């Protein structure tokens, strides 16, 4: 990676890396040397079927047949792809690479539903023509973290950094004056673009109250001049793009190396797949990546590993695997794709999972490594590494529960950090549960475990500090099933419910579901939104119950007064 960032908070903790694109491409080329792997480049136009609606292979544009019992389609933005720069378009999956033609029509003939989506990429500028002196540098983390749990892959390299600039009044004015020149607002492209990665013209139109938007200048590599202008994708004509770039501070004299463009392409709504990513119509045919309506590299990779695993298992006559949504973000992603009728590019966000405190990056190996071992993807070395790590974490939690302190420097430090007194004979576990107290405090005062890695210490700390919340979320998962038939008030004002996402408020206001179960199946409504609805309806139920109780008490009081009055009259 060129740069690494950690977004903090255990329920949204995630590692972000900006990688060297060309280095990635070179590493991919090394795959040609993988034993038992054959690579053939060609444009696939037809799916070959057997007598029982099972896949038998593919046919290429030049009429060659390749036979296989499992086929995975990962078409990206290439299937009938067309790129747009202003009013000018050309068939392409991305700049300089041809589109794929014929496959969409073949899939339609086989009974699949298809649709079109749109995405875009920003311009690249020459870093040698940018004035960085007035821009804010965005440094990566001082302490490097890793995606892999395998120490053999922990190779530290010098990090680069991004710069932050912002749009100006001139930027907004130029865009507003030329909206009619863009494919979307000009009306010649109707495909939906990504809600969470909008073009700069979408930002200006949707958020007119914002005077400025952040723009990040990201290096494309260590030894190349390109800067990726993150957050500045546009469909404007090329003749307007350089003047637009030069409205940004620091880019007043920049050179544009490559223009931004929009790309529209065919996809197949993923409700046509099961959770294994095998299609429901054709046995052995799998869809993966942007063909399923997602956008983003991580989303494509997540689907790729599942469809790849299941394609191999299908060919080998083994049962296919399914990741439940509570097991991983991959499970959440796929469950959303195949359950909801999504008509805009889908992005995986931590907020889409109602189980995100359980789906942390620090415990990904404990959630998924046993499955990987069961299906043959984890060798003995990796398995031993995993078991040793889990044993160290378990032993450390036992030690922290057993060791007690009374007074001393550690107690003083904990009191200063947390603002709470430390009781006599407190366990180290109880100290870690206090606010603002982290494992490094134990290290600093001689009570840490030098045999643990940074990653292992984080696992221990999170498991201890958030134990109550984790147990509560596990209970919520079990209870969720029993709440699907809870009714929703007919007059519920969704727009006033700020705990719901903006997308959920919009879709629920339009559909107006009658029950929680129906709401959970509305496209664009995440399980996190359903959890919020459950809390709201439960609060309403309790308020209504309290109101009825007060009415009964009032009625009983009136009845008692009446009886007492009648008794007095009789006397």
């Amino acid at each position: 990676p060129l740069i690494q960032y950690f977004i903090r908070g255990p329920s949204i903790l995630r590692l972000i890396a900006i990688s060297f694109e060309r280095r990635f491409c070179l590493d991919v080329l090394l795959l040609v040397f993988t034993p038992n792997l054959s690579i053939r480049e060609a444009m696939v136009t037809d799916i070959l079927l057997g007598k029982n609606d099972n896949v038998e292979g593919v046919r290429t544009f030049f009429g060659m047949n390749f036979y296989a019992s499992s086929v995975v389609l990962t078409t990206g933005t290439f299937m009938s792809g067309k790129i747009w720069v202003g009013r000018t378009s050309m068939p392409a999956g991305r700049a300089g690479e041809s589109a794929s033609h014929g496959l969409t029509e073949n899939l339609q003939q086989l009974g699949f539903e298809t649709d079109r989506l749109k995405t875009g990429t920003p311009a690249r500028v020459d870093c040698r023509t940018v004035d960085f002196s007035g821009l804010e540098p965005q440094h990566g983390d001082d302490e490097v973290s890793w995606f892999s749990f395998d120490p053999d892959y922990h190779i530290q390299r010098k990090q680069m950094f991004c710069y932050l600039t912002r749009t100006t009044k001139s930027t907004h004015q130029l865009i507003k004056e030329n909206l009619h020149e863009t494919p979307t607002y000009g009306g010649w492209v109707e495909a939906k673009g990504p809600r969470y990665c909008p073009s700069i013209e979408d930002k200006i139109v949707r958020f007119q109250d914002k005077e400025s938007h952040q723009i990040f200048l990201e290096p494309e590599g260590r030894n190349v001049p390109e800067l990726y202008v993150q957050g500045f994708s546009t469909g404007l004509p090329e003749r307007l793009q350089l003047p637009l770039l030069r409205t940004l501070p620091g880019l007043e004299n920049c050179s544009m190396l490559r223009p931004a463009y929009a790309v529209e392409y065919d996809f197949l709504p993923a409700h046509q797949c099961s959770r294994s990513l095998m299609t429901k119509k054709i046995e052995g045919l799998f869809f993966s990546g942007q063909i399923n309506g997602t956008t983003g590299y991580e989303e494509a990779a997540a689907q790729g590993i599942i469809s790849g695993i299941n394609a191999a298992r299908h060919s080998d006559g083994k049962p296919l695997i399914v990741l439940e949504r509570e097991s991983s973000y991959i499970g959440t992603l796929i469950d959303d794709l195949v359950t909801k009728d999504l008509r805009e590019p889908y992005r995986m966000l931590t907020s889409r999972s109602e189980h995100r405190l359980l789906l942390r990056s620090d415990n990904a190996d404990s959630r998924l490594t046993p499955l990987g071992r069961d299906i043959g993807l984890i060798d003995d070395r990796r398995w031993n590494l995993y078991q040793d790590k889990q044993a160290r974490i378990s032993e450390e939690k036992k030690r922290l529960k057993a060791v007690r302190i009374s007074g001393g420097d550690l107690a003083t430090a904990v009191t200063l950090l947390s603002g709470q007194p430390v009781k006599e004979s407190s366990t180290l576990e109880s100290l870690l549960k206090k606010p603002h107290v982290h494992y490094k405090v134990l290290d600093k005062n001689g009570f840490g475990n030098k045999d643990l890695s940074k990653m292992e210490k984080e696992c221990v700390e999170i498991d201890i500090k958030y134990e109550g919340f984790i147990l509560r979320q596990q209970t919520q998962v079990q209870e969720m099933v029993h709440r699907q038939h809870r009714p929703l008030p007919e007059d519920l004002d969704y727009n006033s419910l700020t705990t719901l996402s903006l997308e959920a408020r919009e879709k629920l206001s339009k559909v107006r579901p009658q029950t929680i179960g129906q709401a959970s199946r509305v496209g664009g409504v995440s399980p996190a939104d359903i959890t919020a609805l459950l809390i709201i309806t439960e609060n309403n139920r309790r308020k209504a119950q309290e109101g009825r109780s007060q009415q009964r008490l009032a009625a009983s009081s009136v009845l008692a007064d009446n009886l007492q009055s009648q008794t007095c009259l009789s006397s």
Side-chain angles (χ1 to χ4, degrees):
L2 299 175
I3 311 166
Q4 288 186 337
Y5 301 98
F6 240 134
I7 307 301
R8 294 292 173 185
S11 65
I12 60 166
L13 186 68
R14 64 190 189 274
L15 178 61
I16 299 173
I18 300 172
S19 297
F20 185 4
E21 182 181 351
R22 286 183 173 83
R23 176 59 186 270
F24 174 78
C25 294
L26 290 172
D27 287 345
V28 168
L29 289 175
L30 296 177
L31 290 174
V32 299
F33 300 108
T34 302
N36 301 318
L37 175 65
S38 299
I39 296 178
R40 181 69 178 267
E41 293 185 32
M43 185 169 75
V44 170
T45 57
D46 294 276
I47 304 298
L48 304 178
L49 296 186
K51 295 179 180 179
N52 299 315
D53 285 337
N54 60 294
V55 75
E56 287 195 341
V58 297
R59 179 176 295 122
T60 71
F61 179 79
F62 292 112
M64 288 293 294
N65 291 347
F66 292 88
Y67 296 97
S69 54
S70 297
V71 170
V72 184
L73 293 185
T74 58
T75 56
T77 59
F78 287 80
M79 197 159 65
S80 302
K82 180 184 289 187
I83 64 173
W84 290 88
V85 180
R87 296 176 182 271
T88 306
S89 68
M90 64 181 294
R94 54 175 167 252
E97 299 187 44
S98 300
S100 168
H101 295 287
L103 188 56
T104 298
E105 292 75 15
N106 177 247
L107 291 169
Q108 289 172 339
Q109 290 170 4
L110 296 175
F112 286 100
E113 176 191 354
T114 65
D115 206 339
R116 295 221 11 120
L117 291 176
K118 176 180 73 71
T119 187
T121 189
R124 273 47 161 197
V125 299
D126 191 331
C127 66
R128 297 167 296 186
T129 63
V130 175
D131 180 7
F132 295 103
S133 61
L135 302 184
E136 181 184 341
Q138 303 290 298
H139 296 277
D141 288 343
D142 294 330
E143 195 169 1
V144 175
S145 301
W146 308 99
F147 284 102
S148 175
F149 293 94
D150 187 345
D152 283 3
Y153 291 93
H154 297 177
I155 302 170
Q156 191 162 345
R157 298 180 177 90
K158 182 180 178 181
Q159 292 196 71
M160 301 178 71
F161 49 88
C162 300
Y163 285 91
L164 176 64
T165 185
R166 305 189 71 94
T167 59
T168 62
K169 288 183 178 179
S170 298
T171 312
H172 294 213
Q173 186 64 31
L174 184 57
I175 290 171
K176 289 176 181 178
E177 291 174 353
N178 293 280
L179 280 173
H180 63 283
E181 296 273 15
T182 64
T184 300
Y185 294 96
W188 52 89
V189 171
E190 297 181 356
K192 285 286 187 70
R195 176 183 293 262
Y196 298 104
C197 302
S199 65
I200 188 62
E201 50 264 26
D202 279 343
K203 292 179 186 178
I204 303 304
V205 171
R206 291 185 198 172
F207 309 106
Q208 296 191 28
D209 58 316
K210 302 293 183 184
E211 295 182 355
S212 182
H213 296 277
Q214 289 184 338
I215 304 297
F216 292 90
L217 304 179
E218 301 175 352
E220 287 264 275
R222 297 184 185 279
N223 304 306
V224 293
E226 286 103 325
L227 284 177
Y228 184 95
V229 189
Q230 176 67 268
F232 211 65
S233 64
T234 180
L236 284 170
E238 187 170 356
R239 60 181 170 79
L240 294 175
Q241 289 192 31
L242 184 57
L244 185 65
L245 286 166
R246 288 180 172 176
T247 64
L248 303 177
L251 277 71
E252 293 89 347
N253 299 301
C254 73
S255 293
M256 184 172 68
L257 299 175
R258 201 190 325 170
Y261 60 84
V263 55
E264 58 171 333
Y265 55 94
D266 289 339
F267 83 106
L268 286 81
H271 60 78
Q272 299 170 103
C273 292
S274 65
R275 289 188 295 164
S276 65
L277 293 183
M278 185 165 74
T279 61
K280 297 173 182 176
K281 290 182 180 294
I282 299 175
E283 183 182 349
L285 178 62
F286 297 80
F287 293 162
S288 184
Q290 285 174 287
I291 192 173
N292 282 334
T294 60
T295 183
Y297 297 113
E298 298 91 341
E299 289 81 357
Q303 295 169 74
I305 192 169
I306 298 302
S307 59
I309 288 169
N310 281 331
R313 290 178 68 82
H314 177 265
S315 293
D316 210 20
K318 296 177 179 177
L320 306 186
I321 67 163
V322 169
L323 295 183
E324 300 295 341
R325 63 178 302 119
E326 66 269 17
S327 74
S328 59
Y329 279 111
I330 298 178
T332 303
L333 163 73
I334 294 175
D335 186 69
D336 279 352
L337 289 177
V338 303
T339 303
K340 300 178 179 180
D341 187 16
L342 301 168
R343 298 292 167 164
E344 58 186 45
Y346 178 98
R347 201 85 203 237
M348 187 66 239
L349 309 171
T350 54
S351 59
R352 292 196 187 274
S353 174
E354 68 276 41
H355 313 300
R356 53 188 176 273
L357 191 54
L358 306 179
L359 307 183
R360 309 185 311 272
S361 59
D362 67 279
N363 69 0
D365 57 341
S366 62
R367 288 184 282 110
L368 297 174
T369 302
L371 173 62
R373 178 68 171 179
D374 290 343
I375 63 178
L377 294 180
I378 301 296
D379 61 18
D380 290 341
R381 185 187 70 85
R382 283 291 300 272
W383 183 243
N384 290 334
L385 284 172
Y386 165 75
Q387 289 187 309
D388 291 344
K389 175 189 172 184
Q390 297 306 312
R392 287 192 296 272
I393 291 172
S394 178
E395 288 301 314
E396 179 63 4
K397 288 196 283 189
K398 291 178 183 177
R399 184 185 76 86
L400 296 176
K401 191 184 290 285
V403 175
R404 297 176 178 271
I405 67 160
S406 294
D409 293 341
L410 177 58
T412 302
V414 169
T415 300
L416 287 172
L417 287 167
S418 66
Q420 298 177 356
V422 175
K423 297 178 181 179
E424 288 293 315
S425 190
S426 293
T427 64
L428 297 181
E429 179 192 59
S430 68
L431 301 185
L432 262 185
K433 288 188 174 184
K434 291 183 179 293
H436 311 300
V437 177
H438 302 292
Y439 194 98
K440 62 184 179 183
V441 178
L442 303 184
D443 282 334
K444 186 176 180 180
N445 289 275
F447 286 89
N449 187 337
K450 296 179 180 179
D451 294 331
L452 296 185
S453 68
K454 170 179 171 287
M455 195 178 295
E456 290 163 355
K457 291 174 183 178
E458 286 180 349
C459 289
V460 169
E461 179 183 326
I462 292 172
D463 281 349
I464 288 174
K465 190 177 286 291
Y466 299 97
E467 180 183 21
F469 296 102
I470 292 170
L471 289 173
R472 185 168 67 185
Q473 193 159 98
Q474 289 171 338
T475 302
Q476 287 173 346
V477 170
Q478 296 170 354
E479 293 176 350
M480 188 74 177
V481 178
H482 304 295
R483 298 182 174 182
Q484 289 293 305
H485 299 294
R486 181 170 294 184
L488 289 169
E490 291 183 4
D491 59 349
L492 188 58
D493 181 9
Y494 293 103
N495 288 318
S496 69
L497 305 181
T498 56
T499 52
L500 300 178
S501 69
L502 288 172
E503 184 181 2
R505 283 179 249 172
E506 174 187 326
K507 299 289 180 68
L508 289 170
S509 295
K510 180 179 179 181
V511 177
R512 303 213 60 83
Q514 295 178 314
T515 65
I516 288 289
Q518 186 183 355
S520 70
R521 293 185 289 275
V522 174
V525 177
S526 73
D529 294 318
I530 296 302
T531 299
L533 277 178
L534 283 169
I535 294 171
I536 292 164
T537 55
E538 177 63 17
N539 288 339
N540 289 344
R541 185 191 66 80
R542 289 180 179 178
K543 288 178 182 178
Q545 190 174 31
E546 289 173 2
R548 288 193 295 270
S549 297
Q550 290 174 358
Q551 288 175 354
R552 284 195 295 269
L553 286 172
S556 299
S557 178
V558 170
L559 180 61
D561 290 344
N562 290 338
L563 289 173
Q564 187 174 7
S565 298
Q566 291 175 5
T567 302
C568 292
L569 289 171
S570 298
S571 300

